[in-house]
Amino acid sequence: PLPAAADTFLHYRTSKVRALRAARLERLMRELVSGDREQDPGFVPAFLATHHAFVSTARVLRFLLPPPPPPPPPPPRGKTEGHDLSLNKNLRAVVSVLGSWLRDHPQDFRDPPAHLDLGRIRDFLGWAAPGGAEAREAEKLWEDFLEEVDPEQEEEQPVVWAGPPRAPQPARPDSPEGFPEEEGPQREGPELLDFSVDEVAEQLTLMDAKLFSRVRPCECLGSVWSQRDRPGASGVAPTVRATVAQFNAVTGCVLGSVLGVPGLAAPQRAQRIEKWIRIAQRCRELRNFSSLRAVLSALQSNPIYRLKRSWGAVSREPLSTFRKLSQIFSDENNHLSSREILSQVQTTGDPPARLPSKLPSGPVPYLGTFLTDLVMLDTALPDVLEGDLINFEKRRKEWEILARIQQLQRRCRSYSLRPHPPVLAALRAQRQLSEEQSYRVSRVIEPPAASCPSSPSIRRRISLTKRLSAKLSREKSTSPGGSPGDPASPSSSLDLPGPRAPVLPLSSPRAPLPGEQSSEARVIRVSIDNDHGNLYRSILLTSQDKAPAVVQRALEKHNVPQPRAQAYQLFQVLPGDREFPIPDNANVFYAMSPAAPGDFVLRRKEGARPAGSVPPT
């Protein structure tokens, strides 16, 4: 007899799907409740996830929610049955959309203290679907929001999140040059590195997982995140800013613990470096890529990287581990290595039940990867097409990225780690050094030399200042282990001087990626060399763009008042801290080096100094 498999067969059925690529707002909102069987199944989730980019939540609800019906008259006989069925069908569609909205994006309705939008939904579901799953979801969310203002809950919060470390202190006159002054009496209790590698890494993972799970995906949208530096926008994207602050805090802890102790011999400082390498390795095992990158970024920063005597005393095994970990965030092929690893980890199942519950699910990703993808996507594709049509195809591509964030958030909630208050207290008490202090202290520890032969042989691109703070906050770093934070800020490094911005990855169709050049366009990142920070903005460069037009667009992106392109010179940043000046009136697309990342910096020309200033001789 033939094997059973020979009797089986596959039957394929062709299904027709209608995708709405662009439409006016009213048409998009009608599509939410159309109930069309041929509707693209991704339309509703894409609309709910990205609607903040083109319409407010309150306006969508005004369209969806009908007024309460009058008391029903005695059931009539005749031809009203068809009308009732149509009404019920529309109500069921609205109820279904609200159920998905409440389940997938509950924070859209958080508006303390009254939570008016959620109250309207509760009233509607109370008569349209009484006792249904959607009504129960609304009631549960209402109760959760009311419990958030409970004082007892607020008191418990610091146990989970210890807050950022202390702010940097100015140097005192009688201390070794460059070392910050210790404010007040010496802190009692163990220091951060007195705890075991597992304890530190697990507490970092616990904090990162909690903060990442609270991130509102809509705050990661390029159109939302790009508003963060505008006047009066300090409250924009608070959950993303909290993740940035945590990243900066971890980076600052590494810098402070390695550089902030004067008088250590090179072998002692090497022991601190080795311990942070082991903590980074443990974060990798815990699948915490956020703190992993923060630790690597600090170790690769100029103030620590240049300490050749300290690195020369690092043992061979931890040095080899450091090199391997750094390869995870290699910037080759648009950070392909870190993306592949994250994808592999994300697709693996949860640990078996028989294994210790301490094993995590995770992973906790580096949020900058998604931020840069979304910022680049927002830069490359228009919001509105000809005829004032909303480009919904762009929203679909954004939703693909936001859906990955939501999937990772669900897995982050399955970590089974418990807070350890002494470690959290040590994290908070760790001394912080500003970027300027870090480099000054580093030069005191080891005076400048011609080269650093004992430092790890990892390709360097940019300094700490250029790498740290803008990472998460901007997009994604250009350095091999680049990261988002700047240790200089105890609360948020978004506006600190110095940090260089991020490199963006993108899963969109044919929008060019940084470092990837299409036949006619390329996305580049431009910073301004000034006293307000060296932060990148992404712009789309076409094969027709001359230098003055590129400079003008970059100045406008940076919100420079009264921008004058002729007052600035454009330079391309090349590997090895080198720069290539783009000639005035040159075609930037063809003048730039195609082999180097698309990073540029604007500097004010000498002849364009403010009136009254004396040019240098």
Side-chain angles (χ1 to χ4, degrees):
L2 295 174
D7 297 331
T8 63
F9 66 93
L10 293 176
H11 178 70
Y12 294 94
R13 183 178 62 183
T14 302
S15 297
K16 189 177 180 181
V17 175
R18 181 176 51 82
L20 193 60
R21 296 182 177 274
R24 296 183 185 273
L25 177 60
E26 291 74 13
R27 176 70 179 86
L28 291 176
M29 292 194 293
R30 285 201 306 270
E31 187 72 10
L32 281 175
V33 293
S34 68
D36 189 346
R37 293 185 178 180
E38 295 181 355
Q39 184 190 67
D40 172 18
F43 175 82
V44 172
F47 183 99
L48 297 179
T50 64
H51 75 278
H52 293 276
F54 54 89
V55 65
S56 67
T57 296
R59 183 171 178 183
V60 177
L61 289 178
R62 285 197 299 269
F63 175 84
L64 291 179
L65 301 182
R77 301 192 180 194
K79 301 183 178 180
T80 59
E81 183 176 354
H83 174 74
D84 292 341
L85 289 177
S86 175
L87 177 63
N88 290 337
K89 179 182 177 182
N90 291 337
L91 286 180
R92 285 198 299 269
V94 173
V95 169
S96 176
V97 169
L98 291 177
S100 299
W101 203 346
L102 291 166
R103 182 177 60 254
D104 297 335
H105 308 282
Q107 291 300 316
D108 286 356
F109 309 107
R110 187 181 183 278
D111 183 24
H115 308 290
L116 296 178
D117 288 339
L118 183 56
R120 294 177 60 202
I121 293 176
R122 290 174 65 229
D123 294 341
F124 168 75
L125 294 176
W127 62 264
E134 296 81 4
R136 293 195 299 271
E137 186 76 27
E139 289 297 330
K140 180 179 181 302
L141 187 60
W142 178 267
E143 294 172 0
D144 292 343
F145 285 166
L146 294 181
E147 289 178 1
E148 287 180 359
V149 298
D150 188 339
E152 295 181 0
Q153 296 282 41
E154 293 181 355
E155 292 176 2
E156 294 177 1
Q157 184 68 15
V159 176
V160 176
W161 163 231
R166 294 184 305 178
Q169 302 296 329
R172 63 173 185 258
D174 59 341
S175 66
E177 183 184 356
F179 283 95
E181 180 182 2
E182 280 287 358
E183 192 178 58
Q186 293 288 334
R187 175 184 174 273
E188 297 181 358
E191 295 184 359
L192 180 60
L193 292 187
D194 292 336
F195 295 96
S196 70
V197 168
D198 285 351
E199 287 176 319
V200 175
E202 288 175 5
Q203 293 308 297
L204 292 176
T205 301
L206 175 65
M207 291 188 290
D208 289 337
K210 284 188 173 293
L211 287 171
F212 177 70
S213 65
R214 293 173 183 171
V215 167
R216 291 185 63 188
C218 65
E219 293 180 6
C220 301
L221 288 170
S223 59
V224 176
W225 183 233
S226 60
Q227 305 298 313
R228 64 195 177 280
D229 292 328
R230 295 197 174 182
S234 58
V236 170
T239 61
V240 178
R241 289 179 187 266
T243 306
V244 174
Q246 164 68 2
F247 188 103
N248 297 334
V250 175
T251 306
C253 283
V254 179
L255 286 164
S257 61
V258 173
L259 300 174
V261 182
L264 288 181
Q268 295 173 305
R269 209 173 300 277
Q271 291 177 359
R272 291 175 174 255
I273 293 175
E274 289 180 3
K275 185 152 190 179
W276 278 115
I277 293 174
R278 292 195 296 271
I279 291 172
Q281 174 61 27
R282 181 58 181 149
C283 286
R284 171 65 182 91
E285 295 168 358
L286 290 167
R287 303 194 280 193
N288 178 4
F289 292 93
S290 182
S291 282
L292 168 61
R293 185 156 193 179
V295 173
L296 292 178
S297 295
L299 294 177
Q300 291 175 345
S301 67
N302 276 354
I304 294 180
Y305 176 81
R306 62 174 298 278
L307 301 177
K308 61 178 182 179
R309 289 195 294 270
S310 299
W311 282 105
V314 174
S315 303
R316 180 176 301 177
E317 182 178 351
L319 198 58
S320 175
T321 300
F322 177 62
R323 291 195 179 100
K324 292 177 181 177
L325 292 174
S326 298
Q327 288 303 312
I328 293 177
F329 298 106
S330 169
D331 59 350
E332 295 182 359
N333 295 324
N334 195 27
H335 299 257
L336 182 61
S337 177
S338 61
R339 291 170 178 278
E340 289 180 340
I341 291 175
L342 180 61
S343 179
Q344 293 169 3
V345 172
Q346 185 179 352
T347 54
T348 57
D350 292 336
R354 67 178 182 275
L355 295 180
S357 59
K358 232 175 169 183
L359 288 176
S361 287
V364 182
Y366 167 62
L367 187 59
T369 301
F370 302 104
L371 292 177
T372 55
D373 283 355
L374 290 163
V375 169
M376 191 63 69
L377 187 57
D378 185 62
T379 301
L381 300 179
D383 292 327
V384 180
L385 303 179
E386 185 178 356
D388 292 331
L389 302 181
I390 295 173
N391 184 3
F392 198 74
E393 192 63 22
K394 173 180 179 177
R395 305 307 166 193
R396 278 194 179 87
K397 299 182 190 311
E398 291 176 329
W399 170 65
E400 292 173 3
I401 301 172
L402 298 183
R404 285 199 65 201
I405 294 177
Q406 288 183 306
Q407 181 183 3
L408 288 166
Q409 286 178 316
R410 287 191 291 269
R411 299 198 60 173
C412 276
R413 296 186 183 102
S414 60
Y415 272 105
S416 56
L417 301 171
R418 296 183 178 277
H420 188 31
V423 180
L424 298 176
L427 280 167
R428 185 172 186 176
Q430 176 62 53
R431 176 194 298 182
Q432 290 287 287
L433 300 178
S434 70
E435 179 185 331
E436 182 183 354
Q437 288 173 337
S438 297
Y439 196 70
R440 191 186 309 130
V441 168
S442 176
R443 291 168 65 91
V444 171
I445 294 172
E446 292 190 25
S451 62
C452 300
S454 301
S455 298
S457 57
I458 297 174
R459 249 185 345 151
R460 308 294 303 158
R461 278 234 174 129
I462 50 180
S463 66
L464 161 72
T465 326
K466 311 303 181 185
R467 269 217 318 260
L468 295 183
S469 160
K471 260 353 167 198
L472 249 193
S473 75
R474 279 286 156 318
E475 301 145 357
K476 179 180 185 182
S477 161
T478 58
S479 105
S483 58
D486 180 334
S489 169
S491 58
S492 170
S493 67
L494 300 179
D495 299 317
L496 283 180
R500 199 105 118 180
V503 194
L504 307 253
L506 186 56
S507 58
S508 73
R510 256 339 290 163
L513 302 174
E516 178 186 2
Q517 183 168 339
S518 72
S519 59
E520 297 182 352
R522 176 175 183 169
V523 177
I524 63 172
R525 297 171 305 118
V526 185
S527 64
I528 297 183
D529 188 9
N530 55 25
D531 296 332
H532 306 293
N534 204 1
L535 304 174
Y536 280 111
R537 296 297 189 196
S538 299
I539 62 175
L540 186 64
L541 176 69
T542 71
S543 59
Q544 306 299 317
D545 287 334
K546 298 292 186 70
V550 174
V551 172
Q552 185 70 25
R553 290 209 307 273
L555 292 174
E556 292 172 356
K557 274 273 191 175
H558 281 276
N559 299 319
V560 175
Q562 300 179 349
R564 294 175 58 249
Q566 59 268 33
Y568 289 85
Q569 175 75 45
L570 183 66
F571 295 83
Q572 183 181 11
V573 180
L574 303 177
D577 291 331
R578 296 177 296 125
E579 292 180 348
F580 169 66
I582 303 296
D584 292 339
N585 296 322
N587 186 310
V588 180
F589 186 84
Y590 295 109
M592 65 184 292
S593 170
D599 300 336
F600 291 78
V601 61
L602 285 174
R603 290 196 175 88
R604 183 180 290 275
K605 295 178 180 177
E606 291 294 332
R609 289 175 173 271
S613 62
V614 179
T617 59

